[in-house]
Amino acid sequence: MTDRQDRAARSALYRAVWRWHFIAGLLILPIVVLLAVTGAIYLFKDEINDAAYRQYRLVTPQSTPALPASALVAAALDSLPGSLKAYLPPAAPDRAAEVKIVGENGLKDTVYVNPYDGSVLGRLWDGGHAGSPAMYVVRKLHSLEYVGWLGNRIVEAAAGWMVLLVGTGIYLWWPRGRNLGTVSIKASRGRPWWRDLHAVTGLYTGVFIVFLALTGLPWSSVWGGKFYELSYAAGLGMPDGYWSKYPTSTVPVGDAIDRAPWIMEKQPMPLSGASAGVPAGLDSIVATVEGLGIAPGYALNMPRGPEGVFTASVYPDDITRERVIHLDQYTGQVLYDAGLADLGPLGWAAEWGVSIHMGQAWGLANQLVLLAACLAMIGLAVSAAVMWWKRRPERGLGVPTLAADWRIPRALLVIAVAAGIFFPLVGLSILFIAAVELAVYLAGRRRRAQPS
């Protein structure tokens, strides 16, 4: 290959990567902003909940011992008749007990009770693991669950594209002997300033953005589902046969409790040994799980039906103390007790990734680093939109052009195929964009071929 041909090939690849970087960036820009804003808020959900609902969640510590669980639950049920769904003991001396009740109207509420005198502090519509109705909304917006099954797939595709955008952005930034690759903002105004801001922000925060995208994928339907199946089949998540000694129900763990280890969410709940009898007392079950050393802040979920089990689960900031305990509802016998160390390598890695993704693993430092990454994602989206707005023609989108002969470099095809294999929904979106590109190209060629 001659030097001229080599330069032409490199130029064709650069222009093709730039074009796809531009198109993909514009397509997922609104989703990126939504994910970044809601993610930044959710990082501080506990702090926000404590500030917004402190009259319910916080109490004045007393020297007297807390009342037994049965007394606190009774006080909650007196204020809100219904069926007991779960009981959360006070996580600290200044915390209220939380009692989750399915009311006579079928709605689930959380009743907050002072653990020292049994007084009811108030109640809120139950937001599950989010801890409040407001954070529940933020969480649902973050995952686009309000859009149904399509929302989950949109977020999954956007996460895969975020990884590719970081990779292609670094490729476009790479100097290659030209006046590119700036590591600081050199321009003082106009479109060059926005270009430098975009490049520098992506350069210094790209690794964190990729981390957030990859650690969010276990929750996705397609990628996460395949990763789950692989982990389970290979014995690298939750080893097969862990329920071999007990009968199981058709209810998955993820549907029975607010927060379960990711690798356990689809596993069936065990069943109690008997289908009739006198259930064990709440106080004795609490004493059992606390005697096993479960971390404070756990939730004790009540049995579902006559064959259901008690389930104590905790997902603390110290992920090494994550734990799920199932107990027979009649005998109080421990049927299953597992923590982080009991998971397989992929399950262990996924739990660590999820914990860091949610800003829990290392406290405030973890939250601030990821907050910076979320702000960087917003900055990248805004700077990309401004650059596009400044360079767009009066009519048209201003999409970067391909080489005159419309060549598709082989390197780009390899990247597209690899991306499609690892991120299936990205692959589908690439095919869709390519089909649109081809249709536009063929239509333009027919117009040019028509006699004037």
Side-chain angles (χ1 to χ4, degrees):
M1 180 181 291
T2 66
D3 184 59
R4 178 179 297 178
Q5 290 174 319
D6 187 48
R7 287 198 305 271
R10 288 197 301 268
S11 176
L13 177 59
Y14 182 89
R15 293 169 69 177
V17 170
W18 182 25
R19 182 181 177 88
W20 282 67
H21 184 87
F22 176 91
I23 294 172
L26 281 185
L27 286 177
I28 71 167
L29 189 150
I31 305 300
V32 170
V33 172
L34 175 66
L35 292 175
V37 171
T38 54
I41 295 172
Y42 202 75
L43 284 170
F44 297 92
K45 69 177 178 66
D46 292 335
E47 291 83 355
I48 293 172
N49 285 336
D50 285 347
Y53 308 106
R54 62 179 302 109
Q55 71 272 29
Y56 300 150
R57 297 166 63 91
L58 301 177
V59 300
T60 302
Q62 305 289 329
S63 58
T64 56
L67 296 174
S70 56
L72 301 178
V73 168
L77 288 171
D78 283 343
S79 71
L80 179 64
S83 59
L84 177 62
K85 176 72 167 56
Y87 168 69
L88 287 72
D94 64 344
R95 294 282 169 175
E98 300 179 24
V99 183
K100 301 193 176 191
I101 297 172
V102 178
E104 296 174 345
N105 57 3
L107 297 178
K108 186 170 68 174
D109 291 284
T110 299
V111 179
Y112 297 86
V113 183
N114 188 314
Y116 301 106
D117 60 16
S119 60
V120 173
L121 304 174
R123 74 173 188 250
L124 292 171
W125 177 77
D126 182 53
H129 185 63
S132 72
M135 288 300 104
Y136 177 88
V137 172
V138 171
R139 184 179 182 185
K140 294 298 182 182
L141 286 173
H142 187 71
S143 59
L144 280 184
E145 287 190 39
Y146 288 121
V147 189
W149 66 269
L150 179 61
N152 182 281
R153 285 156 178 78
I154 291 174
V155 171
E156 178 180 344
W161 272 113
M162 284 163 60
V163 175
L164 293 187
L165 284 174
V166 171
T168 54
I170 291 175
Y171 170 83
L172 296 173
W173 167 87
W174 202 260
R176 290 185 296 277
R178 290 176 291 185
N179 188 26
L180 298 172
T182 182
V183 295
S184 62
I185 300 176
K186 297 178 180 178
S188 59
R189 59 190 177 84
R191 185 172 174 272
W193 184 88
W194 288 101
R195 180 201 60 203
D196 286 357
L197 175 65
H198 188 82
V200 170
T201 302
L203 176 66
Y204 291 121
T205 62
V207 65
F208 300 102
I209 295 172
V210 169
F211 174 83
L212 284 173
L214 292 179
T215 52
L217 282 172
W219 285 299
S220 64
S221 297
V222 179
W223 193 97
K226 293 300 181 183
F227 184 55
Y228 183 95
E229 292 173 5
L230 173 63
S231 302
Y232 188 79
L236 299 176
M238 180 63 65
D240 193 14
Y242 74 107
W243 283 143
S244 57
K245 292 193 265 185
Y246 306 105
T248 57
S249 72
T250 57
V251 178
V253 174
D255 287 354
I257 62 179
D258 287 336
R259 180 68 178 89
W262 169 79
I263 198 63
M264 286 183 61
E265 289 181 349
K266 297 181 182 179
Q267 298 304 312
M269 291 283 288
L271 297 175
S272 292
S275 59
V278 179
L282 178 62
D283 294 336
S284 65
I285 295 296
V286 169
T288 298
V289 297
E290 292 186 354
L292 293 171
I294 195 168
Y298 72 92
L300 180 62
N301 288 267
M302 301 300 110
R304 285 190 175 188
E307 294 184 334
V309 296
F310 287 101
T311 300
S313 60
V314 65
Y315 195 82
D317 289 347
D318 181 0
I319 190 64
T320 62
R321 302 190 70 187
E322 173 186 286
R323 201 164 176 186
V324 175
I325 305 173
H326 298 298
L327 306 96
D328 187 289
Q329 72 164 297
Y330 302 105
T331 66
Q333 175 190 356
V334 175
L335 304 178
Y336 180 75
D337 181 359
L340 183 70
D342 299 295
L343 302 180
L346 289 181
W348 179 91
E351 286 303 295
W352 264 107
V354 167
S355 178
I356 299 171
H357 182 100
M358 297 178 65
Q360 294 183 206
W362 298 301
L364 182 61
N366 193 163
Q367 292 171 297
L368 293 178
V369 169
L370 294 190
L371 174 62
C374 290
L375 294 176
M377 290 166 62
I378 297 171
L380 286 167
V382 170
S383 57
V386 171
M387 284 192 296
W388 165 71
W389 187 260
K390 286 181 173 293
R391 78 179 297 274
R392 82 197 193 290
E394 291 186 6
R395 295 180 180 179
L397 291 176
V399 179
T401 58
L402 286 172
D405 58 0
W406 213 76
R407 287 176 298 179
I408 302 177
R410 283 176 292 180
L412 189 63
L413 288 176
V414 171
I415 293 171
V417 171
I421 293 173
F422 193 75
F423 302 114
L425 295 187
V426 170
L428 287 176
S429 60
I430 287 176
L431 291 176
F432 174 77
I433 295 172
V436 173
E437 290 257 67
L438 181 60
V440 171
Y441 171 74
L442 293 176
R445 191 170 68 173
R446 281 196 299 270
R447 284 196 303 269
R448 290 190 296 270
Q450 292 175 352
S452 57

